[in-house]
Amino acid sequence: MGQNAMRPELGVSVDKGALHVISLVSVGAHPTSGRPRRAEQDARAVELGLHLAGDNLHVLHAGDAEEPALRGYLGMGVDELHVLAQPPGADALPGLADYIRESGVQLVLTGSQAETGEGSGMLPYLLAEKLGWPLVVGLAEVESMSNGSVQVLQALPRGQRRRLKVRLPFLATVDNAAPKPRQSAYGPAQRGLLDVEEIEVVIDDVFIGAALTPAKPRPKRLKVIKAKSGADRMKAATAKASGGGGQVLKGVTPEEGAAAILKLLVEEGVVR
Amino acid sequence: MSDIIRRDPRTEWIARNRLHPLHAAMQPAQTSWMGPNGVLRKNVHGIGFIGPNGIKRIDRSGAQQGGAIKRSVAVDVQLPLHRIATPAFYIAVVPDMVGGRLSRHDRDLLGLAHGLAGNEGAVLAVIFGEHKETAFDTAGVDRLLILEGSGFSGYSPEQRVQGLRAVDNQFDPHHWLLPDSRNGGGELGRRFAASLGERPSTRVWQVAGEQCIGRAGAGAEDLSRPVSRLILAQAECAEPVSETRHEAQAVELSTAVPRSLSRIEDLGAVAVDPALIPMSEAEFIFSGGNGVKDWSLFHRTAVALGATEGASRVAVDDGFMTRDRQVGASGTWVTARVYVAVGISGAIQHLQGIGACDKVVAINLDPTCDMIKRADLSVIGESSAILEALVEAVETYRNGAKRDAA
């Protein structure tokens, strides 16, 4: 039933090469060691871009071109990586918006949030606002494309999917529901070209004022029992979990019981 | 009627007066009698009465007479009303309303909003479309604004941003609070921030005075900054409101929300194979236990309902289900919104595992089992017959919906 809906053959109705795609990438940080690496979600954006556009994929980074971790994306089979050179702490938004506007691209893919710095996840939203493009959040799969409009699957929490139809050009973020990125090969990573372009630097002064500190473990929420008497406290400590007196149907026919259950399931929206 | 124990002098007088016609009815229940084997039997439960604090009191002075009246101890505490007649300012909250109800995350957010509003401001909750929530007052909502209209139904982030902008124009809240969740709040908040041109504080987990602390990067760093106007807060960012009752007064927008042409068309939910969804995050679980006799029927029902299958420990031990399907303390702790338990009596380990579930439906033969006490809806009867009827009912429902659409 849903197996086919979940995993159709990728690129069946998508003509590789017809679409001009840019994947925006950043430098990530390993969750344990903190060492620079290719960012997980950005790698997924590159993977999805390779599925959709093949060799037409454009990979773009705004930041330090000297960073060796950037070559991780080249190792995924991309010939060239475009870098808008910026010092750390600069605002990537104006440069990216100008570049995308001039490139005549139809689809921009990004991860949903950066692994270093503020990581607010605002960049795709601000970019979409600035370009005036629609934004699809949590793109899981591109199903089909026809007459400049694209049918996509959006990832929802609890493993659910929603089908959306958007007109080109648009911007999409990918999260962990997108296809897993392929491994990065060392040889191609070293052979790949870095196309560095100098752009005007806009310093983000708000973020510089804020302080980044190592994350404090969050305090565990205490179960506070506001009981006036000892008997109430005893009851609260020993009580079993209860739903507080539900409806009990006794002595009904199976049909009536089933109808009552179905009514609740439909009300809750789990049976469609 | 109040549950405070009061003496009833008239009943006591009738109990003393052997000539009164109601004398026999007012006698206290017999507490000791001679058993058939000549042993003195005592009913210790019949002695005494439950005092106002829920503690049993036995009065041996002989003063306690009159009928033994059973009184319930559960006192519905009426929390003090927190009334804001003319709000000096507003704190706006846009809850996720997963399944039409306030989630735990939403309640935490309302608690944070209540803290920010203090005694002058009012908490304004903005809801889109239909809801099923009945407890806005105890959750801490002072003013409730429901934006209705066909434009807000389904997935309509652009129209919702338009709605929030209209609210922003009219009420000009000091702060906007949205849950930083994947259920829509994180996305809507960021869209709204981009539309307003405000820089939000994201992934906030603590607001203390003028500073707020949020996670940054991949979650290994904290970012402390001044509180911004738009706050996207994580779950457990504050304690939910628990000590006051609020007005939840309905307010309305004075202007109509402009209709924006949606550039993203919602084509509806896609059927996903429920077996591929991890149990711990499945939304709808259909779980079987010792009371299930016909397992092929059980699987058929799960497919018909489109639910993820689960099982109790007994069903797994007996080999009817695989170990990864076990729900409970030693299996998976599930977070389903709707949990259907077929033939599961509800061992405490199993009930712990479903502690986070919203709605529990039980199908069981034994009306006294613990699962029935936990369930919101229980049907007492033989599971096979009920499951057969359920499969049939679902098929009729689906066919009916198809006919309506055609």
Side-chain angles (χ1 to χ4, degrees), chain A residues 271-272, chain B residues 303-306 393-403:
Chain A
V271 168
R272 287 181 279 264
Chain B
V303 170
L305 290 172
V394 171
E395 273 162 12
T396 339
Y397 172 77
R398 293 248 166 82
N399 290 341
K402 236 175 252 164
R403 248 202 315 281

Side-chain angles (χ1 to χ4, degrees), chain A residues 143-227:
Chain A
E143 284 192 319
S144 65
M145 207 180 316
S146 59
N147 306 333
S149 70
V150 185
Q151 203 162 303
V152 299
L153 286 187
Q154 184 189 28
L156 300 179
R158 297 177 178 278
Q160 303 294 314
R161 297 279 185 274
R162 186 192 277 141
R163 190 169 283 133
L164 300 174
K165 198 172 176 187
V166 207
R167 289 200 70 80
L168 289 170
F170 70 95
L171 216 129
T173 69
V174 298
D175 55 20
N176 294 339
K180 249 177 123 68
R182 61 190 72 177
Q183 279 193 351
S184 175
Y186 181 76
Q190 300 309 308
R191 284 195 296 275
L193 295 176
L194 283 176
D195 170 31
V196 184
E197 194 179 314
E198 292 292 331
I199 56 161
E200 198 185 340
V201 172
V202 184
I203 294 293
D204 179 5
D205 43 346
V206 181
F207 180 59
I208 284 178
L212 276 177
T213 50
K216 264 191 281 181
R218 293 182 56 184
K220 205 164 177 233
R221 176 173 276 181
L222 296 175
K223 197 176 158 195
V224 182
I225 297 163
K226 288 175 185 147

Side-chain angles (χ1 to χ4, degrees), chain B residues 209-234:
Chain B
E210 292 299 300
Q211 290 283 316
C212 64
I213 307 176
R215 288 276 193 252
E221 280 166 325
D222 270 344
L223 182 58
S224 164
R225 55 182 150 190
V227 179
S228 58
R229 183 153 178 262
L230 221 135
I231 301 172
L232 299 177
Q234 289 187 331

